[in-house]
Amino acid sequence: MRLELGTFPVREIAFGHRTHYADGVLQVNREELAARLGEDPNIVAVQLAIARPGESTRIIHVVDAVEPRVKVAGQGCAFPGFLGPAQTVGEGRSHRLAGVAVVATASLPGEIDSLSVKEAIVDMAGPGANISPFSQTLNLVLEFELAEGLLLPEKTASVRLAALKAAAYLGETVRQETPESVEVFELGPCPPDLPRIAYVSPLMHEGVLHNTFVYGVKTDSMPTLLHPNEALDGAIISADYHIAAYRSATYHHQNNPLIRELYRLHGRELCFVGMILCQTLIVSALEKERSASQVAKIARMLGAHGVLISMQNGGHGWADLLMTGQACERAGLKTVLVMAEMADADGRDPSMIMTVREADAIVSVGNMDELITLPGVERVLGGTEYLDAMNYEGALEASPSDEATTALRRLYCVNNQLGWGLVTASAY
Amino acid sequence: MAEPIRVVHYLNQFFAGIGGEQEANRPPDVVDRAVGPGKALEAALGGRAVVVATLVAGDNYVAERLAEAVTEIVEHVASFRPDVVVAGPAFNAGRYGTACGAVCAAVQRNLGIPTVTAMAPENPGVDLYRSSVLIVPTGESAAGMREALPALARLALKLGAGEPIGSAEAEGYLARGMRKNEPAARTGAERAVAMLLAKVRGQPYRTELPLPEFDPVTPAPPLRDASKALFALVTEAGIVPQGNPDGIEARRATKWARYPIGNLDDLTAEAFTCVHGGFDNRFVHQDPDRILPLDAVRALEREGVIGRLHDWYYVTVGAGAPISRARTFGREIAQELVQAGVQAVIFSAT
């Protein structure tokens, strides 16, 4: 499978009469886009705003972030299973608007089966911005107001679809254009002496609220094999509304940094043999064992020498991660795990909920319990009050425009467990 | 040029050159300059800091009255208004290492002045004080002085200047059992691939997260006769009366509660709910007995398999709980249960 990914860097984004891209400037017809997104009867209103790096702006209630894409050649569409048939993508040509993100926000209070949408904050400047993936992008912020009487999963479904529609709408601006650069992703032949590496991507699935979609379908089946190009080409969509710090946005799946790094070294230092998807946050012991064992089996069938296992969410998910790593090591595969830590604010609590002896190579993306003080800001997008209720220790009672101290937990994707960022934790 | 950093140095009688065991009962004494290894320390400080005083105390004097001796020493330290206090190196001398750790801990706590000491990792002072005191690891004997002093001096200069102290690995001290965030030079993804390549190639690699050690939980011995025992139900699954009267949080709960079940045979969905925010609990909402099995335990009670069920059940939410807090909750709940004469607990977790 050969995927050409054409990049159109966006250096400025502005509202204007006509939605189009030219010379690095993305102009957006605010009314036209709002009208399209408002076609969903569940969406009562949508506000559009722009947030730029360095601005004294705080975005709250972030639900997802998506990179604008268009499928130019090859089967499928930008987000298969959502905006078109669930046809396999990852071949042909896609175009991306780089340096820009559609950031969907909505105030979604309440809970379903005790599961709730957690607060998620992006600061465009200050200490929170230093560690946030979306302080570096030009953000088209969509603030959705949902109809009364809907269940939470119905609300999140509407926001999810609208964010994907907006990303595809913006992507259309560069369908016919010539990209500034083109990357080619193809798992070509390797010299036989290179180590064969498989990438294992556990995807979050918890109840009816928190999920990861693959081709429009929730991840709750047995582990399966994907071509990494499929992930890069929009097959994986985030629906994780749990703890903000260790989420992976759809944007991160589209630009999965582990896949990109494995591709960078493919054919030179390693041979990237494929991507194994599995579920994380598995409920029963039997299913946990089956998943871990099947991942190891598929990796062996790929002839892998080593596996890299990323992570989504936590709790039981970390148990799943460790069990999967253990199964791989016991199958003779060298294994590295990527995970966030939950070591309490002072960093003195054990970072993980269980251990297996085989987990001797872990990359830490930081302790999400550590505290950070966010300064007051001039502008708040996404809502007017933090979403906290009483469902978390240390509710944020400040107004979102004021200075506040919070655990990193509430900062969107700052401890991303696909290894996006630079934050790590060390022994002190 | 800035004022030199003021250092107070703590030594035992032996390293101060006063004498061995025969002088180990000497009370604290003050010398207004560097002595013994303090001279080499001062040289290692490179002119940016001066040893304004050396405090010397006998090993036995301190060991036999630790709290009292440390108070005396801290008073002396205060009178010199140091920017930083350095103790040792104590190498593998147990009494000396303990004294160094105790002096450092007390100076930090009572005077708010930063401290650093040095000793061998197996010195008993390490286990006692490493969680709060910066300890530079040394060899077992004074032969390791030459390696120990530069590391000690480097940390003393940073502490004295009020500069932030980096990780244990970067600064060369024994980790205090604490994790702190810091920026890495490369992304997590780049580090992960590099670590995996090293591991696959059989090259050295180092995990960024050493596995924590958990307290082993030894199961209690079995009941001699369950049919005569008082049982209790305890859960971390957030089963509470409707309305969650004590406001137990869905994650990282800050409290536990107990609720009466003495006149109940069954937990109905009308009367009880589940507020645990860490799992999909639809099946619990349908029937709370599925997590807190009151109906089944009542049946066992009727059949005479168990003696009696305690009239209260205890509950918190375990999702995301720091272990230190869970330990406190556990102790508090266990204490009440023991006082009530409970001999067995059925603990349901999620």
Side-chain angles (χ1 to χ4, degrees):
Chain A
M1 289 173 78
R2 175 187 164 93
L3 174 68
E4 295 176 4
L5 190 56
T7 292
F8 296 78
V10 177
R11 287 176 276 270
E12 176 58 311
I13 176 171
F15 292 120
H17 295 302
R18 190 168 65 90
T19 299
H20 79 293
Y21 171 91
D23 303 326
V25 179
L26 178 66
Q27 197 179 93
V28 183
N29 181 327
R30 194 195 309 224
E31 292 71 29
E32 183 181 78
L33 177 54
R36 288 210 188 177
L37 302 181
E39 286 167 6
D40 179 346
N42 290 350
I43 294 173
V44 174
V46 54
Q47 310 283 333
L48 279 67
I50 291 165
R52 297 179 177 85
E55 286 178 354
S56 177
T57 296
R58 175 163 299 142
I59 311 169
I60 66 171
H61 304 335
V62 177
V63 178
D64 196 10
V66 188
E67 185 174 81
R69 292 284 180 98
V70 60
K71 192 79 195 149
V72 175
Q75 70 173 1
C77 62
F79 303 107
F82 284 97
L83 303 184
Q87 289 171 324
T88 303
V89 290
E91 284 183 286
R93 187 177 180 114
S94 297
H95 285 171
R96 64 190 277 256
L97 289 168
V100 63
V102 171
V103 176
T105 72
S107 178
L108 301 170
E111 57 193 46
I112 182 152
D113 305 320
S114 298
L115 299 177
S116 59
V117 175
K118 303 286 189 297
E119 185 54 84
I121 302 169
V122 171
D123 267 16
M124 299 307 292
N130 292 340
I131 52 177
S132 163
F134 299 103
S135 67
Q136 322 292 323
T137 47
L138 291 160
N139 297 324
L140 179 65
V141 182
L142 311 177
E143 182 180 342
F144 293 100
E145 189 186 324
L146 282 302
E148 298 285 326
L150 297 172
L151 292 173
L152 261 184
E154 295 169 323
K155 293 179 180 176
T156 54
S158 280
V159 172
R160 177 163 59 247
L161 188 59
L164 299 177
K165 280 184 188 169
Y169 167 85
L170 297 177
E172 284 294 337
T173 60
V174 292
R175 178 183 286 279
Q176 311 290 350
E177 307 297 313
T178 305
E180 190 174 288
S181 60
V182 177
E183 292 170 284
V184 176
F185 296 98
E186 188 173 24
L187 294 178
C190 294
D193 56 332
L194 291 182
R196 296 169 64 82
I197 306 296
Y199 167 44
V200 179
S201 188
L203 300 178
M204 140 93 160
H205 171 98
E206 188 181 35
V208 292
L209 189 60
H210 305 298
N211 277 295
T212 314
F213 288 87
V214 181
Y215 289 104
V217 184
K218 293 171 182 177
T219 321
D220 56 0
S221 59
M222 283 205 355
T224 191
L225 183 63
L226 224 70
H227 194 291
N229 287 4
E230 297 177 74
L232 297 179
D233 208 18
I236 303 178
I237 304 299
S238 169
D240 178 357
Y241 314 117
H242 226 296
I243 294 169
Y246 58 26
R247 286 188 211 169
S248 292
T250 295
Y251 186 99
H252 292 124
H253 292 296
Q254 294 173 288
N255 294 288
N256 188 312
L258 288 164
I259 294 178
R260 280 186 163 276
E261 180 66 3
L262 288 168
Y263 257 123
R264 190 177 72 80
L265 301 175
H266 176 75
R268 293 190 289 130
E269 294 191 43
L270 56 84
C271 183
F272 186 10
V273 296
M275 174 175 187
I276 302 167
L277 293 190
C278 60
Q279 187 190 334
T280 185
L281 287 174
I282 302 172
V283 174
S284 79
L286 200 61
E287 289 165 285
K288 282 177 185 295
E289 290 162 3
R290 185 185 72 165
S291 179
S293 192
Q294 288 293 312
V295 165
K297 180 205 71 178
I298 297 172
R300 281 174 60 206
M301 289 176 70
L302 292 170
H305 302 110
V307 294
L308 200 56
I309 314 182
S310 63
M311 180 59 201
Q312 286 193 301
N313 210 262
H316 263 277
W318 284 322
D320 299 335
L321 174 72
L322 291 163
M323 287 175 72
T324 307
Q326 184 177 50
C328 289
E329 284 278 336
R330 286 182 177 173
L333 305 164
K334 303 294 182 195
T335 307
V336 167
L337 313 176
V338 180
M339 64 177 281
E341 302 183 37
M342 209 164 63
D344 214 353
D346 62 4
R348 287 192 183 270
D349 216 48
S351 298
M352 50 216 286
I353 58 164
M354 64 174 267
T355 61
V356 296
R357 199 169 31 83
E358 291 85 353
D360 65 355
I362 300 176
V363 165
S364 165
V365 296
N367 171 20
M368 64 176 186
D369 289 338
E370 199 166 294
L371 299 179
I372 186 169
T373 298
L374 304 177
V377 291
E378 289 167 14
R379 182 172 69 145
V380 175
L381 298 174
T384 53
E385 275 175 51
Y386 285 124
L387 182 65
D388 253 334
M390 53 134 322
N391 66 4
Y392 223 112
E393 172 208 22
L396 269 182
E397 281 160 12
S399 160
S401 60
D402 292 345
E403 179 183 290
T405 296
T406 172
L408 291 183
R409 279 193 291 276
R410 292 187 179 86
L411 271 58
Y412 190 53
C413 303
V414 297
N415 302 111
N416 173 266
Q417 297 177 104
L418 302 180
W420 183 269
L422 296 175
V423 179
T424 187
S426 295
Y428 269 72
Chain B
M1 197 177 140
E3 290 276 301
I5 291 163
R6 297 170 62 85
V7 179
V8 167
H9 191 201
Y10 175 78
L11 291 174
N12 71 355
Q13 85 287 348
F14 176 76
F15 280 98
I18 293 169
E21 280 301 313
Q22 71 282 6
E23 299 292 339
N25 290 310
R26 288 177 73 96
D29 199 5
V30 181
V31 189
D32 61 357
R33 62 191 148 75
V35 297
K39 289 178 186 160
L41 173 68
E42 204 167 44
L45 292 168
R48 284 182 54 204
V50 287
V51 175
V52 294
T54 304
L55 290 170
V56 183
D59 281 336
N60 288 341
Y61 181 89
V62 179
E64 285 162 12
R65 51 182 86 68
L66 188 66
E68 188 189 324
V70 165
T71 304
E72 274 182 74
I73 293 163
V74 169
E75 280 171 16
H76 285 302
V77 169
S79 69
F80 288 96
R81 294 173 291 102
D83 299 305
V84 59
V85 172
V86 178
F91 304 103
N92 207 11
R95 286 167 300 171
Y96 186 23
T98 302
C100 286
V103 165
C104 287
V107 165
Q108 288 173 181
R109 190 175 58 241
N110 299 338
L111 305 180
I113 294 170
T115 68
V116 58
T117 183
M119 62 190 84
E122 52 275 20
N123 191 308
V126 169
D127 270 356
L128 289 168
Y129 296 103
R130 73 177 297 169
S131 70
S132 59
V133 173
L134 285 177
I135 303 174
V136 173
T138 69
E140 292 205 5
S141 73
M145 186 70 83
R146 195 203 297 260
E147 289 80 41
L149 286 179
L152 204 50
R154 195 175 57 243
L155 275 166
L157 287 172
K158 278 198 163 185
L159 290 166
E163 291 169 17
I165 300 297
S167 68
E169 190 188 338
E171 303 278 9
Y173 59 86
L174 295 171
R176 290 166 288 180
M178 189 163 40
R179 305 281 297 171
K180 269 176 90 167
N181 288 341
E182 57 185 15
R186 295 181 295 166
T187 67
E190 290 163 345
R191 304 195 315 273
V193 174
M195 191 185 290
L196 181 57
L197 279 177
K199 191 170 173 179
V200 168
R201 290 169 180 157
Q203 294 164 349
Y205 61 92
R206 185 144 33 157
T207 184
E208 295 178 356
L209 178 50
L211 299 175
E213 282 178 28
F214 293 110
D215 296 343
V217 177
T218 313
L223 289 169
R224 241 177 267 142
D225 185 356
S227 71
K228 296 202 168 53
L230 179 60
F231 277 67
L233 286 172
V234 181
T235 186
E236 63 73 45
I239 305 294
V240 294
Q242 284 288 354
N244 190 11
D246 292 284
I248 295 180
E249 299 90 340
R251 297 188 70 84
R252 286 179 68 89
T254 59
K255 61 193 93 167
W256 54 268
R258 57 174 207 171
Y259 298 108
I261 44 171
N263 54 359
L264 296 177
D265 288 336
D266 183 28
L267 298 181
T268 64
E270 290 71 38
F272 289 86
T273 188
C274 174
V275 296
H276 192 288
F279 71 105
D280 172 17
N281 41 38
R282 271 172 292 180
F283 70 104
V284 194
H285 287 280
Q286 289 160 2
D287 182 358
D289 289 289
R290 286 173 175 166
I291 284 286
L292 196 72
L294 179 61
D295 54 355
V297 174
R298 285 288 183 226
L300 293 172
E301 199 178 27
R302 278 193 303 275
E303 291 162 16
V305 177
I306 68 165
R308 199 169 71 75
L309 181 64
H310 187 43
D311 289 341
W312 299 80
Y313 80 90
Y314 288 76
V315 58
T316 186
V317 164
I323 288 173
S324 53
R325 192 183 301 168
R327 195 179 282 132
T328 306
F329 288 5
R331 278 202 197 103
E332 291 168 355
I333 292 170
Q335 196 177 1
E336 288 206 6
L337 292 173
V338 167
Q339 273 170 7
V342 170
Q343 291 149 288
V345 170
I346 296 170
F347 193 110
S348 53
T350 57

